[in-house]
Amino acid sequence: MAPGEKIKAKIKKNLPVRGPQAPTLRDLMHWYCMNTNTHGCRRIVVSRGRLRRLLWILFTLTAVALIVWQCALLVSSFYTVSVSIKVHFQKLDFPAVTICNINPYKYSVVRDLLADLDQETRGALRTLYGFSEVKSRKRRGAASENPAWAGIQPKFLNTIPLLAFSENEKGKARDFFTGRKRKVDGTIIHRASNVMQVHESKKTVGFQLCPSNDTSNCATYTFSSGVNAIQEWYKLHYMNIMAQVPLEKKINMSYSAEELLVTCSFDGTSCDARNFTLFHHPMYGNCYTFNNRENETTLSTSRGGSEYGLQVILYVDEEEYNPFLVSSTGAKVLIHQQNEYPFIEDVGTEIETAMSTSIGMHLTESFKLSEPYSQCTEDGRDVPVTNIYNASYSLQVCLYSCFQTKMVEKCGCAQYSQPLPPNASYCNYQQNSNWMYCYYELYQAFVKEELDCQTVCRETCRFKEWTLTASLAQWPSEASEKWLLRVLTWDQGQQINKQLNKTDLAKLLIFYKDLNQRSIMESPANSIEVLLSNFGGQLGLWMSCSVVCVIEIIEVFFIDSFSIIARRQWQKAKEWWARKQTAPSQQGQDNPALQMDEDLPTFTSALHLPPAPGAQVPGTPPPRYNTLHLERAFSHQLPDTQAPSEP
Amino acid sequence: MHWRKYLLQGLHRLQKGPGYTYKELLVWYCNNTNTHGPKRIICEGPKKKAMWFLITLLFASLVCWQWGVFIKTYLSWDVSVSLSLGFKTMDFPAVTICNSSPFRYSKAKPLLKDLDELMQVVLDRILAPEPTLANTTGALNFTLWNHTPLVLIDERDPQHPVVLDLFGDNHNASAGSSAAPARAGNAPGYKLAMRLCSLNGTVCTFRNFTSATRAVTEWYVLQATNIFSQVPHQQLVEMGYPAEHMILACLFGTEPCSYRNFTSIFYPDYGNCYIFNWGMEEAALPSANPGAEFGLKLILDIDQEDYVPFLASTAGARLVLHEQRTYPFIKEEGIYATSGTETSIGVLVDKLQRMGEPYSPCTRNGSDVAIRNLYSSYNTTYSIQACLHSCFQEHMVRNCSCAHYLYPLPPGQRYCNSRDFPDWAHCYFDLRMSLAQRESCIRMCKESCNDTQYKMTISMADWPSEASEDWIFHVLSQERDHSTNITLSKKGIVKLNIYFQEFNYRTIEESAANNMVWLLSNLGGQFGFWMGGSVLCLIEFGEIIIDFLWITIIKLVAFSKGLRQRRAQAPYTGPPPTVAELVEAHTNFGFQPDATHPSPHAEAYPEQHAPPIPGTPPPNYDSLRLQPLDTIESDSEGDVI
């Protein structure tokens, strides 16, 4: 008998190779438990004693349960992120810097448009607070000279009357214009009253908005201070007036880049107005963005420190300020990405005149993982809000776009401080008489998150953030003031012909403090590989199981079990049939099982091995032929013995 | 002795042939291995066998692939970060304070006298170009001017810009330039530029400015640098603001401190700077409480009246917070504090600790950076700023053969000045604007692994208040100058509060994301998941492969031996000889030294061969290989029992 055959015979003898052929399910189970690779099952079968067997069953089941539980935990925590923070020292792209004068339009130019409104505002102030213009400022001379207040029919105060409420007379208000009391009905909305408890100790001021031709459903907005009320009231009318002015004219009314920028240098080299792009903001007039020119490469800094950043001296002409619209002086600066829309009214740093403001930046870049890790969007294409801005997507852009779209839908016109959606026009009284009421209603709903804008809009997945450290220093210094103002006047001389004062100027330095860029990156904490190996670890730890075991389980518990059951059923059916056909059957019982046995391969046939020859040669045991090899050992010595014999 | 036994056994095997076949080995392995797949291959029917074979193969390749993925991940040296935030007792940062003006004008005036007079005339020339002023220029020192003069460029005709010398009418003007006859001072199209010449004025470039302010400032700074670089260090220090003059009051927590607690350092841009809590000689001061009451409170006098007018256009104190034993880079990282205000600075220490190579490219102490750290003379630690500055100075020395005044002096070099190095300004501006220089520096310098930043929350308020102004100034004047008159003013006084915020540290620490344990457990997990294997299985597999090789070697030896024998037996014809024949042939061969006539023997052998050996059946030679079989048998018998 060949030795290979002998091994196989041994294996065959030791292995009960009869899993699928097992006659009963019980046998199959027994076979499975004995032969499976998972630990535990074998112990159940092998163990003696009922208690021990029970314990082993319990252990095995516990292990299975633990595996299932742990694997479920692994799957449920699959979509988690790990955060890494990296610091690179490298050449950094300089951000876009948008600079605006706080005052949108030169008052001397825009005064004609606003003459009526200003007059009425002054009148209202006089009526309520007994304020009369102090004519200290020469520029207002012409406008405030007009005493013909009584003669003109005020159109602005008629549309939206300013009212003063006194506490003891509920529902009564005093009209600013006529001074007579009038009844106020409808809803009275205190601005922000639902956020803060307003102490109604003093009289409140407000204005009333009514839908056209319907004075019964008016909304009255009240403020605790007249300053807020009048500014808000002024702003409403101002927007209304400005909405009717074409953009071209508005740009001309505002400051030019040459006027705003007295000197400019970047990275040690000079720059001028040509390096800035115009950006017209409805509430801030002409703004200028540095480093945002189309078709040009983004400037970058390769050294940190104030010398190598952007240095500008701004001319802020305080005399041209609108007294009612803006009450602070200076300029506003916003640092943003090149393709980002500058929301200057929301996020801007204000800079003071007669001061040098140095803003040191640190760049932090954040990357978030989008679906399914978090709810952020890569480029806003999957957000169902049309971007009305000519800029890349951001949460703010989305919210404003959403509001503007809703505004056009509900009120039929667009709000002035945001861009126009296609096929819409800005609101004004001539066309939309009650837009203000509509706007305020909508705005309330927006703030209360009733417009769904907040749920629809999603944050962006990647954003750059510049952390700013701003510090102030006096500029120009006492010692240098004299010569510096002279030279600056010469510089600015091409635009204006007047001696500059230090309160007309502001110096601004924007620079990278160092060239370290921090990137905060989210990365998937788990990958498929790690998940699988964690599975493997769990399976291996509790039961020494693997995918092979799983396949085995499927094989044994489903395929084989079914085949056994089917076989039995088939047998029964055949039996039944045979009994029905011929009552005296001949040995029909044995045949099917035998046939099955024949069909199923035996071990040797499976391996395609020749049948083992009769292993038992009768008679003598085989001789120990090892002894024969002596000759060969001898022959090895041959060359040795031959060598000396040859001469 | 053992190895000899093994050697003999090996030789024995080589002669006898292997004790088992490939197939036996394979079957044995499949049966006895601990990995899950192979066992099923041998104990199933033909269809299932094929299936199991495929499955095992598939899983094995999956395992290999996944292992590759893991090893690749491991070798990418990823890091994970842990962030901690809170308050703990920490060393208070070192605080460096400077005045915006490097020198007191009253002291520096003699040095700058010529330059200032020249500057005045230049300004007059630019602003009021009437030639009537020309007679005032007689007493001026024009050696300064002639080196790097400012020129006006008339760009009204963009194709042919005309260069106009400011003093063109009474001094030697370069060819083509002429005094502006009717120049409107602020007419459009005029630009100021600085003429930088090298090689004895033969090669000139113009550095253009869009604003006169900048041109004049830069020109003045350049000239002043020229002057100061020739002045000995001691004199410069004396010209600066002394500590007792500048630092009026100091309070650290509840401990009083004074200007004596400050270390003086000379910074070329800002003159004398004073460092509090540098930690060079004594241990750093810790601060155990958040809030302004427990921080550093300083009152400074910046003495704005005594500023150098053309050098310091911004007035204020300059300060920077930095780590102990690091050099303060005030120009890059400093902030201003305005006079007449109280500036409160809340500090958050933002620490970043990195792993270093191979995880992140950083350096622990700068020893592996190719640039010599010039700031090591201050006994400070490495920082990237120090490296960048040193790198610039190195380039400067290489290109212009002199060192720039703003950076430390390398050994054996001298500072640039236009008397000894007439071309240096030209060279310096070239270098400063050169992107290649900066990029090479950025490439060469590495960040340090431990990076500390101080995040500041700055707020300001007017100080002193109107009501308290009088007595505060009175007391401070009395203390400093021992005079009853008020020697201070709101324009010069700066109050500083520097303190830890409620959360004073944010530490970002790197750790290896994928360490060896991670790798091993994942490798084990994968192997276990697909095949239920372990390291021992790998060893088993290796063993089998060695066995395979052994069999192959033995077979090859046997084969080559057989070839040789067949060649030796080539003359024989007929059926192949039996073992017995061969044995005898060998015997004969060995015992016949003179093999001159073997032909009769050759004829005799076939005759002998034809009848089989009577009696016993031919022995089953395979059964002779008892050793491997024995072991199996004993094994299986043990099982049975």
Side-chain angles (χ1 to χ4, degrees):
Chain A
M1 178 189 179
E5 305 306 314
K6 201 167 175 185
I7 300 172
K8 278 165 214 153
K10 288 267 176 207
I11 294 165
K12 199 183 168 189
K13 209 171 93 191
N14 290 328
L15 284 176
V17 195
R18 49 189 179 111
Q21 300 104 301
T24 60
L25 277 178
R26 197 190 148 80
D27 284 346
L28 182 73
M29 288 303 120
H30 188 256
W31 175 85
Y32 170 74
C33 285
M34 286 302 284
N35 287 286
T36 181
N37 282 312
T38 51
H39 300 175
C41 282
R42 198 183 162 92
R43 304 300 308 185
I44 298 174
V45 180
V46 169
S47 292
R48 307 248 161 94
R50 203 175 271 173
L51 182 66
R52 211 175 262 197
R53 186 167 292 189
L54 196 71
L55 273 179
W56 273 111
I57 289 174
L58 266 180
F59 286 146
T60 315
L61 286 180
T62 318
V64 171
L66 279 172
I67 287 172
V68 171
W69 177 49
Q70 294 287 328
C71 289
L73 281 186
L74 285 175
V75 170
S76 66
S77 67
F78 182 71
Y79 287 122
T80 50
V81 291
S82 67
V83 178
S84 65
I85 300 173
K86 286 209 169 128
V87 177
H88 301 283
F89 187 88
Q90 60 184 47
K91 212 166 106 175
L92 292 181
D93 280 351
F94 203 76
V97 180
T98 299
I99 303 168
C100 307
N101 197 331
I102 288 184
N103 187 44
Y105 305 108
K106 287 184 212 161
Y107 196 55
S108 56
V109 183
V110 86
R111 194 158 49 195
D112 298 338
L113 287 168
L114 299 174
D116 292 348
L117 180 61
D118 288 357
Q119 247 180 45
E120 279 183 40
T121 315
R122 274 190 206 104
L125 284 172
R126 189 156 49 209
T127 323
L128 184 61
Y129 297 100
F131 166 83
S132 58
E133 186 99 18
V134 184
K135 291 178 192 167
S136 62
R137 308 272 174 120
K138 56 182 181 203
R139 62 196 160 90
R140 292 203 194 115
S144 53
E145 258 170 32
N146 191 352
W149 163 251
I152 300 166
Q153 181 64 28
K155 58 177 176 181
F156 297 108
L157 281 173
N158 271 351
T159 354
I160 306 171
L162 268 172
L163 305 166
F165 300 86
S166 40
E167 194 199 359
N168 41 13
E169 294 172 274
K170 282 266 184 254
K172 286 265 175 79
R174 194 159 62 90
D175 199 315
F176 272 13
F177 166 55
T178 50
R180 75 193 143 73
K181 302 233 168 96
R182 60 190 262 177
K183 205 165 154 50
V184 176
D185 37 319
T187 47
I188 295 180
I189 300 160
H190 296 286
R191 279 312 279 270
S193 63
N194 42 5
V195 183
M196 250 171 265
Q197 194 64 44
V198 180
H199 296 286
E200 308 227 8
S201 55
K202 57 178 184 178
K203 62 181 182 181
T204 52
V205 189
F207 50 83
Q208 202 175 22
L209 292 173
C210 299
S212 55
N213 314 325
D214 181 19
T215 45
S216 60
N217 188 25
C218 287
T220 310
Y221 293 88
T222 61
F223 300 84
S224 60
S225 160
V227 174
N228 293 338
I230 285 169
Q231 275 196 336
E232 198 83 357
W233 180 83
Y234 187 89
K235 219 163 134 185
L236 276 180
H237 288 293
Y238 172 82
M239 289 198 294
N240 189 44
I241 293 166
M242 282 301 162
Q244 298 165 55
V245 180
L247 182 67
E248 196 76 4
K249 199 179 166 195
K250 278 191 286 193
I251 289 175
N252 285 336
M253 286 195 300
S254 193
Y255 302 87
S256 70
E258 284 83 8
E259 273 174 292
L260 185 69
L261 304 156
V262 184
T263 72
C264 163
S265 81
F266 177 74
D267 202 7
T269 49
S270 289
C271 52
D272 60 10
R274 284 168 293 178
N275 297 73
F276 288 79
T277 33
L278 173 74
F279 154 71
H280 188 83
H281 189 276
M283 296 312 288
Y284 281 90
N286 283 357
C287 292
Y288 294 93
T289 308
F290 178 73
N291 195 20
N292 191 23
R293 307 197 60 184
E294 285 95 10
N295 320 323
E296 252 179 56
T297 48
T298 307
L299 295 168
S300 58
T301 330
S302 46
R303 278 201 74 170
S306 57
E307 239 184 303
Y308 299 94
L310 177 69
Q311 287 190 29
V312 285
I313 294 174
L314 304 174
Y315 173 61
V316 178
D317 193 2
E318 209 188 336
E319 286 180 7
E320 293 281 7
Y321 268 49
N322 185 326
F324 301 111
L325 192 65
V326 285
S327 45
S328 51
T329 318
K332 230 170 169 186
V333 174
L334 182 64
I335 289 157
H336 57 100
Q337 250 173 292
Q338 268 73 22
N339 50 2
E340 219 176 342
Y341 184 85
F343 285 99
I344 198 106
E345 73 272 37
D346 296 332
V347 276
T349 312
E350 278 166 2
I351 60 172
E352 215 178 315
T353 54
M355 282 287 185
S356 155
T357 310
S358 48
I359 299 176
M361 300 185 291
H362 273 296
L363 174 60
T364 313
E365 206 171 358
S366 311
F367 300 93
K368 285 185 81 171
L369 287 175
S370 61
E371 298 277 357
Y373 292 95
S374 71
Q375 289 284 316
C376 67
T377 171
E378 287 287 346
D379 52 359
R381 228 174 280 162
D382 47 346
V383 174
V385 174
T386 43
N387 185 350
I388 56 170
Y389 291 84
N390 185 20
S392 68
Y393 178 87
S394 72
L395 182 65
Q396 195 83 314
V397 161
C398 175
L399 284 175
Y400 278 127
S401 299
C402 176
F403 180 78
Q404 187 74 300
T405 319
K406 288 268 171 13
M407 176 99 188
V408 173
E409 237 170 67
K410 294 257 164 64
C411 310
C413 60
Q415 208 255 331
Y416 174 66
S417 61
Q418 288 140 31
L420 270 180
N423 309 324
S425 60
Y426 283 127
C427 294
N428 63 61
Y429 281 131
Q430 275 70 39
Q431 277 142 35
N432 321 84
S433 48
N434 66 332
W435 75 268
M436 247 173 234
Y437 176 75
C438 177
Y439 166 71
Y440 265 80
E441 289 280 287
L442 202 68
Y443 187 78
Q444 288 293 331
F446 177 73
V447 170
K448 287 178 191 159
E449 300 187 20
E450 284 165 4
L451 293 184
D452 276 351
C453 286
Q454 282 85 350
T455 51
V456 161
C457 287
R458 285 184 277 160
E459 60 203 326
T460 45
C461 286
R462 49 183 304 164
F463 54 93
K464 279 183 173 178
E465 188 191 25
W466 284 271
T467 14
L468 309 180
T469 315
S471 63
L472 293 178
Q474 196 191 325
W475 177 89
S477 65
E478 294 248 299
S480 63
E481 193 180 322
K482 227 179 86 203
W483 74 267
L484 205 60
L485 287 176
R486 271 176 71 201
V487 183
L488 286 170
T489 310
W490 186 83
D491 272 337
Q492 193 66 348
Q494 298 163 11
Q495 268 71 45
I496 40 159
N497 270 317
K498 81 172 208 191
Q499 179 66 39
L500 290 178
N501 199 355
K502 73 173 175 182
T503 50
D504 290 332
L505 296 165
K507 189 176 179 184
L508 173 69
L509 301 112
I510 298 174
F511 53 91
Y512 275 115
K513 274 191 148 184
D514 53 35
L515 297 180
N516 280 332
Q517 177 192 347
R518 285 198 179 188
S519 333
I520 302 176
M521 252 177 278
E522 281 186 353
S523 52
N526 296 305
S527 60
I528 285 289
E529 290 95 47
V530 174
L531 183 75
L532 290 185
S533 73
N534 283 335
F535 276 177
Q538 289 296 330
L539 291 174
L541 176 67
W542 299 111
M543 290 189 81
S544 172
C545 186
S546 68
V547 174
V548 174
C549 302
V550 177
I551 295 175
E552 266 179 9
I553 288 170
I554 293 168
E555 190 191 2
V556 168
F557 283 85
F558 294 91
I559 302 168
D560 288 352
S561 305
F562 277 119
S563 74
I564 287 172
I565 291 166
R567 190 167 65 205
R568 193 172 294 164
Q569 294 301 322
W570 171 247
Q571 215 171 310
K572 273 183 184 166
K574 224 174 179 188
E575 215 172 290
W576 174 80
W577 181 250
R579 219 181 295 147
K580 206 179 177 187
Q581 288 296 99
T582 51
S585 67
Q586 64 276 52
Q587 294 166 347
Q589 249 178 337
D590 291 8
N591 276 342
L594 273 174
Q595 271 171 352
M596 288 305 255
D597 261 336
E598 265 175 20
D599 272 358
L600 284 159
T602 62
F603 181 73
T604 35
S605 68
L607 277 181
H608 297 292
L609 297 165
Q616 310 87 357
V617 181
T620 52
R624 288 188 71 87
Y625 281 89
N626 271 345
T627 51
L628 285 178
H629 285 267
L630 276 171
E631 268 91 357
R632 195 170 282 265
F634 194 55
S635 68
H636 262 280
Q637 288 170 356
L638 266 178
D640 290 339
T641 49
Q642 262 180 343
S645 65
E646 270 182 49
Chain B
M1 271 303 148
H2 276 288
W3 63 270
R4 195 163 183 174
K5 211 172 95 191
Y6 287 128
L7 199 71
L8 274 176
Q9 267 182 15
L11 280 173
H12 180 67
R13 277 270 161 244
L14 275 176
Q15 284 175 0
K16 268 174 59 178
Y20 33 80
T21 59
Y22 289 125
K23 201 164 197 174
E24 276 168 47
L25 191 68
L26 204 65
V27 169
W28 183 83
Y29 169 74
C30 287
N31 188 38
N32 288 291
T33 181
N34 279 312
T35 37
H36 290 178
K39 199 168 183 173
R40 303 299 307 243
I41 300 178
I42 55 158
C43 62
E44 295 283 0
K47 269 175 269 163
K48 276 198 178 171
K49 183 186 274 181
M51 189 191 85
W52 276 106
F53 181 71
L54 283 180
I55 285 178
T56 312
L57 216 61
L58 175 74
F59 285 175
S61 50
L62 270 175
V63 168
C64 287
W65 171 51
Q66 300 279 311
W67 279 14
V69 171
F70 277 119
I71 290 167
K72 209 178 129 203
T73 316
Y74 177 71
L75 290 179
S76 67
W77 309 110
D78 282 339
V79 289
S80 66
V81 292
S82 62
L83 186 133
S84 51
L85 185 74
F87 186 90
K88 65 181 177 195
T89 303
M90 285 180 91
D91 283 347
F92 200 74
V95 181
T96 302
I97 300 153
C98 308
N99 205 335
S100 287
S101 175
F103 306 110
R104 285 178 287 176
Y105 194 48
S106 50
K107 296 276 192 293
K109 218 168 192 167
L111 278 175
L112 296 172
K113 186 172 160 284
D114 284 352
L115 182 60
D116 283 356
E117 277 170 10
L118 187 63
M119 180 76 165
Q120 278 300 345
V121 178
V122 167
L123 286 181
D124 288 341
R125 281 274 165 161
I126 296 168
L127 303 179
E130 291 89 50
T132 50
L133 286 165
N135 52 2
T136 59
T137 59
L140 289 174
N141 180 356
F142 275 98
T143 47
L144 284 173
W145 174 259
N146 284 338
H147 254 293
T148 41
L150 281 170
V151 291
L152 267 177
I153 295 179
D154 184 356
E155 279 188 342
R156 279 174 299 189
D157 185 4
Q159 266 75 43
H160 308 284
V162 183
V163 179
L164 307 166
D165 201 315
L166 278 179
F167 295 104
D169 38 11
N170 52 359
H171 269 275
N172 57 331
S174 56
S177 73
S178 60
R183 199 177 67 217
N186 40 22
Y190 278 106
K191 288 238 164 65
L192 267 181
M194 207 192 296
R195 192 166 68 203
L196 300 163
C197 293
S198 66
L199 304 169
N200 279 331
T202 47
V203 180
C204 285
T205 51
F206 291 98
R207 189 165 148 71
N208 289 336
F209 295 94
T210 50
S211 88
T213 320
R214 225 189 128 63
V216 170
T217 316
E218 202 151 305
W219 179 79
Y220 189 87
V221 168
L222 188 72
Q223 298 293 354
T225 310
N226 241 337
I227 292 168
F228 291 133
S229 59
Q230 299 174 53
V231 175
H233 182 77
Q234 191 54 39
Q235 198 186 336
L236 290 175
V237 172
E238 274 164 20
M239 287 197 308
Y241 287 81
E244 60 269 26
H245 192 86
M246 195 166 135
I247 300 159
L248 301 178
C250 168
L251 193 67
F252 181 70
T254 50
E255 305 266 324
C257 49
S258 73
Y259 65 88
R260 287 182 200 88
N261 297 78
F262 287 77
T263 317
S264 171
I265 189 172
F266 184 78
Y267 198 90
D269 277 309
Y270 294 107
N272 289 343
C273 291
Y274 298 100
I275 309 178
F276 178 75
N277 195 23
W278 203 10
M280 278 296 184
E281 281 104 37
E282 68 289 327
L285 296 168
S287 178
N289 290 293
E293 283 307 303
F294 302 96
L296 178 68
K297 290 181 178 177
L298 286 175
I299 298 172
L300 309 173
D301 179 25
I302 57 165
D303 199 6
Q304 229 190 106
E305 278 88 8
D306 216 1
Y307 269 33
V308 180
F310 298 108
L311 217 49
S313 62
T314 310
R318 200 99 160 95
L319 77 146
V320 69
L321 306 183
H322 55 106
E323 227 180 331
Q324 271 77 30
R325 312 179 71 83
T326 57
Y327 189 82
F329 292 94
I330 304 155
K331 207 168 185 185
E332 283 78 18
E333 287 157 7
I335 58 163
Y336 280 109
T338 330
S339 55
T341 56
E342 175 174 0
T343 308
S344 295
I345 301 169
V347 179
L348 168 81
V349 184
D350 193 4
K351 253 190 195 155
L352 181 76
Q353 289 177 341
R354 273 177 287 178
M355 297 268 292
E357 300 284 353
Y359 293 96
S360 30
C362 63
T363 172
R364 294 227 168 265
N365 52 12
S367 54
D368 49 343
V369 175
I371 288 160
R372 184 200 156 89
N373 186 1
L374 296 176
Y375 290 89
S376 55
S377 57
Y378 292 95
N379 206 10
T380 53
T381 53
Y382 173 87
S383 70
I384 183 129
Q385 287 288 357
C387 178
L388 288 176
H389 286 207
S390 306
C391 178
F392 182 83
Q393 188 73 298
E394 200 180 294
H395 283 251
M396 185 81 194
V397 169
R398 201 184 307 149
N399 291 6
C400 313
S401 62
C402 61
H404 194 268
Y405 166 69
L406 290 183
Y407 308 109
L409 198 62
Q413 298 296 332
R414 281 193 304 151
Y415 279 131
C416 296
N417 61 68
S418 41
R419 199 182 55 208
D420 303 330
F421 307 94
D423 297 347
W424 82 272
H426 180 257
C427 170
Y428 166 67
F429 279 110
D430 265 4
L431 193 66
R432 209 179 97 143
M433 288 302 129
S434 137
L435 280 178
Q437 180 268 328
R438 290 189 208 171
E439 269 162 24
S440 82
C441 281
I442 287 180
R443 251 198 322 278
M444 288 178 86
C445 287
K446 285 185 192 168
E447 308 133 83
S448 67
C449 289
N450 290 341
D451 177 44
T452 306
Q453 286 178 1
Y454 293 92
K455 302 263 174 209
M456 294 176 275
T457 313
I458 305 169
S459 59
M460 275 170 279
D462 255 15
W463 188 88
S465 65
E466 301 245 323
S468 63
E469 199 177 309
D470 282 344
W471 74 263
I472 287 175
F473 284 149
H474 194 86
V475 171
L476 290 174
S477 309
Q478 176 79 40
E479 275 175 0
R480 188 181 69 177
D481 301 327
H482 312 291
S483 77
T484 46
N485 296 332
I486 291 175
T487 52
L488 299 161
S489 78
K490 211 171 168 174
K491 283 182 177 150
I493 202 134
V494 174
K495 192 173 193 302
L496 281 174
N497 294 328
I498 303 164
Y499 54 88
F500 277 143
Q501 287 174 10
E502 205 168 325
F503 276 10
N504 75 339
Y505 72 90
R506 188 176 74 183
T507 309
I508 297 167
E509 208 168 341
E510 278 187 352
S511 54
N514 309 321
N515 50 16
M516 208 58 203
V517 177
W518 175 91
L519 181 69
L520 287 181
S521 76
N522 275 316
L523 295 185
Q526 283 293 336
F527 200 15
F529 182 69
W530 296 112
M531 301 185 75
S534 67
V535 176
L536 292 176
C537 296
L538 287 183
I539 297 173
E540 277 175 5
F541 192 68
E543 196 190 350
I544 289 301
I545 288 188
I546 292 170
D547 282 352
F548 253 87
L549 288 177
W550 187 225
I551 294 177
T552 317
I553 290 168
I554 290 171
K555 287 212 163 167
L556 277 176
V557 168
F559 178 70
S560 59
K561 216 171 252 177
L563 263 185
R564 218 190 301 153
Q565 278 173 12
R566 214 175 301 153
R567 220 173 287 143
Q569 289 172 3
Y572 301 117
T573 50
T578 60
V579 176
E581 264 176 10
L582 283 176
V583 166
E584 273 192 34
H586 278 291
T587 329
N588 286 339
F589 203 67
F591 275 106
Q592 284 177 344
D594 45 350
T596 42
H597 37 92
S599 42
H601 288 281
E603 279 169 16
Y605 281 123
E607 279 169 8
Q608 275 182 0
H609 171 68
I613 298 159
T616 50
N620 214 335
Y621 283 93
D622 279 345
S623 61
L624 285 177
R625 289 153 205 157
L626 279 170
Q627 272 84 356
L629 260 185
D630 270 345
T631 52
I632 288 175
E633 261 171 0
S634 65
D635 273 350
S636 49
E637 267 159 21
D639 272 357
V640 169
I641 295 157

